[in-house]
């Protein structure tokens, strides 16, 4: 599994297009786009995307390890990625995430902002299609994996849409929200389906649920003790197109992403150090870090801190710096 086929790139346009598109379904995209939406576009849109994203991804990850459908064989397929090679293939969680994020963003904004319906629909379709095609190009999934992932995600969107407002209201107002947001994801992570060998799916799922848990607690806290989370004061009325607004948007994003990345780095070091001391293992011991009692708290605490920082600490910093 550590080896890869040699290949020659003959079309650099497709190569870089689909390598970039594949990154739109990975952590680098989640940790930038989802906070950007919260800081610069609309709090309610961001909340709905995070809710849908976390539910869709949990179901997708668990489905992989229950179905246990293998990824395409290499050879004959040439695989351009190796990290996810240890995971099963069906459904494609890249396809699920791309479909969920793009279409939930479209649905949540189409009635709040003035833009052509056809343009929004086309943008969501192009975004999700590029990510889906990237999984075929990189050799990580079959056509059936991708179609299955997109269809499952679309079905979940249809089921969740009627309950969006209810879920959002409960997460903002219920006194049990913080407890629910932490306990339920932790229970799901500790009871993740067991495999005969190590797969990164449990760790990735814990990362997603942890980030969503931290963000959800942040949403609740903002609504309880700060300005109303339904229409954030930092949100500009409409998409940021004016030059002066664009400067503030970029400033908010750069400040926010630096704080988020710093939080992730600090929490990773601190939490892993504490767990290493508790369970007596070296920080370089990869096998120890993959154990259930280490991986789940390590990933969950780290990324719940990231989610909380993005929704509470960063907006406070924006206010202090006069970036609202």
């Amino acid at each position: 599994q550590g080896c890869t086929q040699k290949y020659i790139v003959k079309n650099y346009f497709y190569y870089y297009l689909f390598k970039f598109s594949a990154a739109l379904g990975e952590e680098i995209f989640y940790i930038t786009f989802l906070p950007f939406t919260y800081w610069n576009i609309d709090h309610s849109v961001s909340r709905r995307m995070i809710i849908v994203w976390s539910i869709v991804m949990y179901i997708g990850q668990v489905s992989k390890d229950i179905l246990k459908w293998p990824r395409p064989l290499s050879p004959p397929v040439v695989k351009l990625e190796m990290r996810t090679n240890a995971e099963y293939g069906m459904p494609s969680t890249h396809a699920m995430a791309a479909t969920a994020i793009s279409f939930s963003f479209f649905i949540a904004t189409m009635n709040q902002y003035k833009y052509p319906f056809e343009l929004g629909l086309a943008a969501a379709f192009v975004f999700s299609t590029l990510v889906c095609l990237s999984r075929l190009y990189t050799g990580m999934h079959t056509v059936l994996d991708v179609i299955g992932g997109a269809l499952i995600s679309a079905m979940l969107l249809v089921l969740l849409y009627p309950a969006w407002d209810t879920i959002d209201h409960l997460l903002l107002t219920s006194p049990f929200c913080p407890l629910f947001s932490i306990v339920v994801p932790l229970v799901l992570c500790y009871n993740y389906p067991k495999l005969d060998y190590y797969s990164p799916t449990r760790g990735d799922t814990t990362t997603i649920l942890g980030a969503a848990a931290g963000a959800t607690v942040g949403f609740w806290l903002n609504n309880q003790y700060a300005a109303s989370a339904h229409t954030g004061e930092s949100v500009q009325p409409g998409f940021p197109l004016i030059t002066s607004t664009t400067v503030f948007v970029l400033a908010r994003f750069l400040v926010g992403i630096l704080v988020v990345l710093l939080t992730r780095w600090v929490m990773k070091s601190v939490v892993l150090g504490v767990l290493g001391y508790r369970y007596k293992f070296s920080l370089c011991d990869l096998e120890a870090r993959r154990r259930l009692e280490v991986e789940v708290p390590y990933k969950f605490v780290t990324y719940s801190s990231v989610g909380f920082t993005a929704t509470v600490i960063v907006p406070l910093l924006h206010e202090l710096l006069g970036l609202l």
Side-chain angles (χ1 to χ4, degrees):
Q1 288 184 336
C3 302
T4 182
Q5 283 183 272
K6 294 182 179 180
Y7 56 86
I8 299 174
V9 178
K10 295 183 178 179
N11 190 313
Y12 282 95
F13 174 76
Y14 287 145
Y15 178 78
Y16 288 113
L17 173 65
F18 290 125
K19 289 286 283 184
F20 173 77
S21 300
L24 298 179
E26 296 173 359
E27 181 184 351
I28 186 64
F29 175 73
Y30 304 143
I31 208 170
T32 53
F33 179 71
L34 294 176
F36 177 89
T37 305
Y38 188 76
W39 300 329
N40 292 303
I41 298 179
D42 194 291
H43 289 182
S44 65
V45 172
S46 179
R47 292 197 305 269
R48 283 161 172 76
M49 282 200 301
I50 289 173
I51 291 169
V52 171
W53 168 66
S54 58
I55 293 173
V56 165
M57 288 299 287
Y58 174 76
I59 291 174
Q61 295 285 72
V62 169
S63 297
K64 279 186 179 184
D65 291 337
I66 291 176
L67 293 174
K68 298 183 179 180
W69 286 22
R71 289 182 182 266
L73 293 176
S74 176
V77 169
V78 176
K79 295 187 176 181
L80 305 188
E81 299 176 14
M82 295 308 299
R83 179 188 175 275
T84 56
N85 202 30
E87 298 179 10
Y88 289 107
M90 178 64 166
S92 167
T93 46
H94 271 72
M96 293 184 72
T99 303
I101 289 176
S102 59
F103 281 95
S104 62
F105 181 82
F106 167 60
I107 294 169
T109 58
M110 66 180 181
N111 293 324
Q112 297 191 41
Y113 299 101
K114 294 181 179 180
Y115 63 86
F117 174 87
E118 296 78 6
L119 178 63
L121 182 61
F125 180 78
V126 169
F127 178 91
S128 56
T129 299
L130 281 175
V131 176
C132 289
L133 290 176
S134 74
R135 309 316 290 157
L136 302 178
Y137 182 87
T138 55
M140 300 311 297
H141 286 285
T142 65
V143 174
L144 188 58
D145 294 343
V146 169
I147 293 175
L151 289 178
I152 293 171
S153 187
M155 181 182 67
L156 290 171
L157 264 176
V158 171
L159 294 174
L160 288 170
Y161 177 71
W164 268 15
D165 292 338
T166 302
I167 295 173
D168 189 49
H169 178 73
L170 287 173
L171 291 179
L172 289 177
T173 61
S174 172
F176 302 105
C177 173
L179 182 64
F180 179 86
S181 299
I182 298 297
V183 171
V184 172
L186 273 175
V187 170
L188 293 176
C189 292
Y190 274 108
N191 290 277
Y192 192 83
K194 293 180 174 60
L195 297 176
D196 295 333
Y197 63 94
Y198 177 79
S199 169
T201 49
R202 184 182 65 202
D204 291 344
T205 304
T206 306
T207 294
I208 292 165
L209 294 184
T216 303
V217 173
F219 297 150
W220 181 85
L221 198 64
N222 287 336
N223 189 64
Q224 297 295 315
Y225 300 105
S228 174
H230 291 283
T231 305
E233 292 181 0
S234 63
V235 178
Q236 299 297 324
F239 289 102
L241 297 175
I242 304 173
T243 304
S244 59
T245 304
T246 304
V247 172
F248 276 92
V249 166
L250 290 175
R252 282 195 292 263
F253 175 72
L254 290 176
V255 169
I257 202 64
L258 285 174
V259 173
V260 164
L261 293 177
L262 179 63
T263 300
R264 185 180 66 163
W265 177 73
V266 170
M267 292 307 297
K268 276 187 172 182
S269 302
V270 171
V271 176
L272 195 58
V274 170
L275 290 170
Y277 177 80
R278 168 66 178 83
Y279 293 106
K280 311 299 182 187
F281 66 85
S282 167
L283 301 186
C284 300
D285 188 347
L286 185 60
E287 289 301 316
R289 291 166 60 173
R290 290 174 170 178
R291 285 154 40 190
L292 175 68
E293 64 270 22
V294 174
E295 184 177 59
V296 169
Y298 166 50
K299 298 272 188 179
F300 192 87
V301 173
T302 297
Y303 284 92
S304 61
S305 301
V306 167
F308 184 83
T309 297
T311 54
V312 176
I313 307 300
V314 171
L316 289 175
L317 185 59
H318 286 165
E319 185 175 1
L320 289 173
L321 296 175
L323 296 176
L324 296 182

